[in-house]
Amino acid sequence: MGRRIQFRRGPEATRLQTVLGNGEPGFSTDTKQLYVGDGETLGGVPVLMSKFIEVAAPSVAACGARHLFQAVTTLQLPDEAQNGTTLSVMLSPHAGATQELPARVLAPVSKTISDDEGNADTEYHMTISGIERIFIFIDGGWQIWR
């Protein structure tokens, strides 16, 4: 029989107050997100997950996670993250989004989401299903890679 390996795990609030050891895995039971410690960063560094978090009601995005809009609703980007942190968002073809009623990714309060052309806005609208968009936290703000 194999050995059991345990991860540090618990609620998001506890993770954000904990420094995981270098290489130590941690799991947020609230967001279902995996993190790996570097011995310095509170909460550890998010690991990009392969499974989508389904978004069917207004939600806050989890760093390192993949989010799938299942309905026309909103996803709030976190106010702070470690520089270089990413998360992704995709729209399900069954969500029902249109140009007039898009699924929306919201910038943190008093901040914007910028793109590679220098445009910035407080919202990013999703109306085309099946295209995964990557958001990256750089220099205190969120940028989108298209």
Side-chain angles (χ1 to χ4, degrees):
M1 184 181 268
R3 292 183 179 244
R4 177 183 226 179
I5 298 173
Q6 287 195 297
F7 288 32
R8 189 181 298 208
R9 62 199 177 283
E12 187 73 359
T14 303
R15 180 192 67 80
L16 291 171
Q17 298 172 358
T18 305
V19 174
L20 299 172
N22 192 9
E24 179 184 11
F27 187 75
S28 171
T29 56
D30 297 357
T31 63
K32 309 295 187 228
Q33 177 62 39
L34 179 65
Y35 296 83
V36 174
D38 61 6
E40 300 173 4
T41 305
L42 278 173
V45 178
V47 175
L48 187 60
M49 301 294 282
S50 62
K51 180 182 176 187
F52 282 106
I53 295 173
E54 294 184 2
V55 181
S59 305
V60 176
C63 292
R66 298 173 75 207
H67 303 82
L68 179 65
F69 278 107
Q70 294 285 21
V72 175
T73 188
T74 59
L75 183 68
Q76 177 73 52
L77 293 174
D79 189 41
E80 289 296 324
Q82 183 178 7
N83 211 34
T85 295
T86 63
L87 61 89
S88 73
V89 180
M90 185 183 288
L91 180 66
S92 167
H94 308 292
T98 64
Q99 291 288 343
E100 296 78 29
L101 190 60
R104 299 178 301 142
V105 179
L106 306 177
V109 176
S110 303
K111 295 190 179 179
T112 59
I113 302 166
S114 58
D115 65 17
D116 54 355
E117 297 174 358
N119 302 313
D121 203 338
T122 58
E123 298 182 359
Y124 179 77
H125 293 187
M126 299 197 66
T127 58
I128 301 172
S129 63
I131 299 174
E132 192 165 8
R133 298 291 188 211
I134 307 293
F135 292 80
I136 184 168
F137 193 80
I138 299 177
D139 298 328
W142 289 98
Q143 295 181 7
I144 186 167
W145 291 355
R146 296 180 190 224

